[in-house]
Amino acid sequence: MSEKGAFDTDVLTLTRFVLEEGRKAQGTGELTNLINSICTAVKAISTAVRKAGIANLYGIAGSTNVTGDQVKKLDILSNDLVINMIKSSFSSCVLVSEEDERAIIVEPDKRGKYIVCFDPLDGSSNIDCLASIGTIFAIYKKTTEDEPCEKDALQPGRNLVAAGYALYGSATMMVLSTGQGVDCFMLDPAIGEFILVDRDVKIKKKGKIYSLNEGYAKHFYPDVTEYLQKKKFPEDGSAPYGSRYVGSMVADVHRTLVYGGIFLYPANVTSPKGKLRLLYECNPMAFIIEQAGGMATTGTMNVLDIQPTNIHERVPVVLGSPDDVQEYLSICKKHKK
């Protein structure tokens, strides 16, 4: 805070932060425009989430999205908001949403050079019980000169220009990385701006929490079962790990980032390819965790190295503190022999 009292007259907003980063990188300002437009959508979604009960936005809208989840009204609203805001920034050419079966090709007069993959409302099954939900996004640059098409979005996570997520929890937070570390911004409803609260966040080397849906234990592969056994009944006499699982990827990954530990959504007998989607769930989260000094793996390779073949492709994912992920990988290796 400034010396003149409780009101900061030189506040570092997300917009200002991104502008400064862009100036350092001698950019064109197009990425700043794009991130700003996503911020506007997130602010609107945050308001809608807070008013959901009053505005009658709860409940199932009567259709199912492409990945089989029943679509809630808030999902549809959020999807429309993100699409419309991004298009209006004149900075994107291809949009991939969890809610739309095919990629959206932006109209020629509104096109820019970026590709955005997003999950407009992650964890939407938690809406009706008021648990935390979020928005996830990943930004790539178009690599070819020809007409934009769905194939432009099929890039490995290593090509990411920026990624982030918004968490609609006890407050609304935006976590962002443009490849220069991870920064956290809190929405100040009084001025309607995201304010920088944590700069260059680093994940703990090792945590004390594991996070996965143990309801699927019957279907786990032996490596996951063995890893969990070690966390619950440590052979070296150390304290067992705590277990936390919200069932909303944004909430579970954010807790892992802040407190350390490991988040797992591994492949199992009934979902041999995993369940979470690569382009708009696993890649952005893996990017953020790696930028914070953590690791993200499928069990056989780094998530960010996967070459996608389908915009809604699913992959197994294990991410978090480097020592915890490394321990999981050593068990995987043992079982692969």
Side-chain angles (χ1 to χ4, degrees), residues 27-272:
T28 60
E30 210 170 317
L31 183 64
T32 305
N33 277 348
L34 176 54
I35 292 171
N36 260 337
S37 71
I38 293 170
C39 273
T40 305
V42 164
K43 288 176 199 173
I45 295 166
S46 178
T47 303
V49 166
R50 310 267 177 246
K51 292 204 302 208
I54 307 159
N56 198 23
L57 288 163
Y58 284 140
I60 291 157
S63 58
T64 301
N65 69 11
V66 291
T67 49
D69 302 326
Q70 284 194 301
V71 180
K72 304 266 179 173
K73 292 180 190 175
L74 264 173
D75 286 33
I76 298 164
L77 175 97
S78 306
N79 195 41
D80 291 348
L81 272 167
V82 176
I83 291 167
N84 292 335
M85 290 302 122
I86 292 175
K87 279 185 177 182
S88 69
S89 70
F90 298 93
S91 53
S92 67
C93 53
V94 179
L95 307 180
V96 172
S97 167
E98 193 221 14
E99 301 295 339
D100 295 292
E101 193 165 352
R102 306 248 50 103
I104 297 157
I105 310 302
V106 177
E107 301 88 337
D109 59 330
K110 289 186 178 173
R111 275 181 201 161
K113 63 184 171 201
Y114 292 107
I115 292 148
V116 191
C117 306
F118 58 92
D119 185 346
L121 207 61
D122 179 71
S124 49
S125 61
N126 279 325
I127 292 170
D128 291 348
C129 68
L130 302 187
S132 293
I133 47 185
T135 298
I136 314 172
F137 62 91
I139 302 171
Y140 298 89
K141 202 180 268 185
K142 190 174 183 326
T143 54
T144 57
E145 292 299 316
D146 46 13
E147 194 65 14
C149 65
E150 191 165 287
K151 219 159 57 185
D152 288 320
L154 300 177
Q155 297 185 42
R158 292 279 169 227
N159 292 6
L160 275 166
V161 174
Y165 60 82
L167 175 63
Y168 312 109
S170 48
T172 296
M173 177 167 267
M174 179 85 107
V175 177
L176 176 70
S177 176
T178 54
Q180 312 293 317
V182 178
D183 301 283
C184 299
F185 303 82
M186 193 88 80
L187 182 61
D188 180 349
I191 59 169
E193 288 284 1
F194 282 98
I195 310 299
L196 180 67
V197 288
D198 283 306
R199 193 190 274 273
D200 199 18
V201 176
K202 292 293 174 214
I203 194 169
K204 285 179 184 165
K205 209 162 174 299
K206 187 175 171 63
K208 296 174 182 172
I209 298 169
Y210 71 86
S211 180
L212 89 165
N213 187 343
E214 289 195 71
Y216 297 133
K218 176 186 173 186
H219 306 299
F220 286 161
Y221 291 133
D223 50 3
V224 178
T225 305
E226 185 184 326
Y227 178 74
L228 289 177
Q229 190 68 9
K230 281 195 162 178
K231 296 297 103 186
K232 295 175 187 177
F233 304 97
E235 290 152 6
D236 59 3
S238 61
Y241 272 37
S243 170
R244 299 281 185 279
Y245 188 71
V246 179
S248 168
M249 191 192 191
V250 176
D252 285 313
V253 172
H254 187 66
R255 186 198 52 251
T256 305
L257 175 68
V258 174
Y259 295 156
I262 190 165
F263 168 82
L264 309 95
Y265 211 120
N268 62 39
V269 174
T270 55
S271 304

Side-chain angles (χ1 to χ4, degrees), residues 268-316:
N268 62 39
V269 174
T270 55
S271 304
K273 289 183 176 173
K275 182 155 183 287
L276 297 176
R277 272 71 57 146
L278 176 62
L279 257 60
Y280 41 80
E281 289 176 327
C282 300
N283 269 344
M285 292 309 200
F287 184 74
I288 282 170
I289 292 292
E290 278 202 14
Q291 284 289 322
M295 289 177 72
T297 179
T298 62
T300 53
M301 70 186 292
N302 281 353
V303 171
L304 296 179
D305 292 329
I306 302 168
Q307 173 58 55
T309 54
N310 177 304
I311 60 167
H312 296 295
E313 188 172 333
R314 298 174 191 266
V315 293

